[in-house]
């Protein structure tokens, strides 16, 4: 995993998040559409990254940026395995998703890279905005269901 270019790891992480949200859609049939829509948006994020593959080295990375991506990816993979094996409630899924999305923002996943290309910089800004929007969607869903944060 550590030998892959950082953009590829980033794309894989978005696909892993999409897989987790898709699992939530399967495990929580009453909220299938909610989770399916978020899963599709994560796939769209991965596509945005993949579309930059011609300039895959357009990011200057450091050990910190790689460590952050690996940390988030490890958590997501652990949650996928857990969700495959156990029941999950909508409340638990929302808390997990909020933790993932917020950690992407708090760890400044989209800002710790130094893009040397305007297209990559624009893509990272867009992904950051969409992640902020996901936090808002998840927070609103928590409030709508009167769940405790």
């Amino acid at each position: 995993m550590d030998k892959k270019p950082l953009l590829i790891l980033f794309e894989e992480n978005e696909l892993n998040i999409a897989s987790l949200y898709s699992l939530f859609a399967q495990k929580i049939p009453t909220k299938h559409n909610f989770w399916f829509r978020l899963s599709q948006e994560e796939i769209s994020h991965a596509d945005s990254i993949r579309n930059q593959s011609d300039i895959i080295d357009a990011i200057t990375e450091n050990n910190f940026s790689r460590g952050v991506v690996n940390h988030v990816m490890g958590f997501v993979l652990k949650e996928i395995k857990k969700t495959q094996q156990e029941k999950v409630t909508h409340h638990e899924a929302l808390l997990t998703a909020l933790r993932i999305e917020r950690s992407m923002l708090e760890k400044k996943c989209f800002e710790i890279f130094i893009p040397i290309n305007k297209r990559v910089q624009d893509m990272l800004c867009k992904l950051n905005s969409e992640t902020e929007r996901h936090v808002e969607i998840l927070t609103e869903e928590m409030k709508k269901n009167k769940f405790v944060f």
Side-chain angles (χ1 to χ4, degrees), residues 36-77:
F36 180 77
R37 188 173 57 253
L38 284 176
S39 174
Q40 293 303 300
E41 289 183 17
E42 294 297 338
I43 290 169
S44 173
H45 296 171
D47 289 343
S48 295
I49 296 166
R50 188 177 310 111
N51 290 336
Q52 306 300 323
S53 64
D54 61 320
I55 49 174
I56 208 156
D57 296 322
I59 289 182
T60 302
E61 66 174 89
N62 56 46
N63 287 335
F64 177 73
S65 58
R66 185 167 287 273
V68 167
V69 173
N70 285 332
H71 174 75
V72 172
M73 186 179 288
F75 177 77
V76 172
L77 291 172

